[in-house]
Amino acid sequence: MSNSDAVAPLPPAAGDAPHAGLPGRTIVLVGLMGAGKSSIGRRLAQRYSLPFIDADKEIEAAAGCTIEEIFARLGEQAFRDGERRVILRLLDDPPHVLATGGGAFMDPQIRERVKQRAVSVWLHAELDMLVRRVSRRSNRPLLKQGSPRDVLAALIERRYPIYAEADLRVESADGPPEQTVQRVVDALQRFNQRALSNTGAER
Ligand code: S3P
């Protein structure tokens, strides 16, 4: 492991800077479709005055077409390969808030790099809420492979044990997004305090 891979957190920003208490790393939001990664991520970035990046939008920009078109023309594997390239590149960028597509953290290479370079937050949500939320949009190819409820239930089985490897788990509130944002802020604060006191204990 090279020095640039070191996992020690940076000290919190001085004074009352808006990002005081942040670990100085990119914050990666993980979770199923409908968990609120983009909506929470955008607000979280505002709160910390950090850039917000939506990985799905970056993949579309790189491919010059929509995710639906990538799935339809090239298949899911091609989408996953593009997703991996784009996210590994984004993880080299200066700290920002990154909303990832629901399948990204399942990729071992992405997961490994996230663990080395970022702090990951799993936005956990129950099936009923996810079903309700995904019904507002119809551009997710995986949800057309069966009833959205069945697809999401199967994804919960398969993915939640892996999402549990994220640094933090936060319950996505069934209310105003600000409530979930506050939970993430609180969890990050605790995480960073723990990281700092562990660093101190080793000295
Ligand atoms: C996917 C989730 C989508 C998008 C693609 C595949 C998945 O992103 O990346 O349709 O595998 O769960 P959101 O989670 O942002 O909807």
Side-chain angles (χ1 to χ4, degrees), residues 31-38 54-56 59 67-68 71 76 79-80 83 99-104 106 134 137 139-143 152 155 159 163:
L32 270 189
M33 297 172 269
K37 299 174 301 268
S38 301
D54 189 312
D56 283 347
I59 297 163
I67 288 176
E68 272 190 298
F71 267 76
E76 177 169 354
F79 169 75
R80 297 297 171 199
E83 180 175 54
T100 60
M106 299 302 290
V134 298
R137 269 170 52 190
N139 59 350
R140 290 174 166 120
L142 290 186
L143 295 181
L152 285 166
L155 290 175
R159 292 182 176 176
Y163 290 171

Side-chain angles (χ1 to χ4, degrees), residues 125-144:
E126 299 295 343
L127 178 61
D128 283 345
M129 190 168 84
L130 294 171
V131 172
R132 234 180 309 123
R133 292 214 188 133
V134 298
S135 68
R136 296 176 201 153
R137 269 170 52 190
S138 61
N139 59 350
R140 290 174 166 120
L142 290 186
L143 295 181
K144 294 179 180 158

Side-chain angles (χ1 to χ4, degrees), residues 14-54:
D16 57 0
H19 50 297
L22 265 189
R25 290 166 167 233
T26 286
I27 299 166
V28 173
L29 296 177
V30 172
L32 270 189
M33 297 172 269
K37 299 174 301 268
S38 301
S39 138
I40 301 305
R42 200 169 298 110
R43 290 171 171 83
L44 197 63
Q46 266 171 11
R47 177 94 170 236
Y48 289 132
S49 303
L50 285 173
F52 170 70
I53 302 180
D54 189 312

Side-chain angles (χ1 to χ4, degrees), residues 110-124:
I110 295 180
R111 204 159 63 244
E112 192 50 38
R113 193 72 65 86
V114 167
K115 288 179 185 176
Q116 290 169 353
R117 302 272 170 93
V119 49
S120 48
V121 182
W122 170 23
L123 285 185
H124 177 272

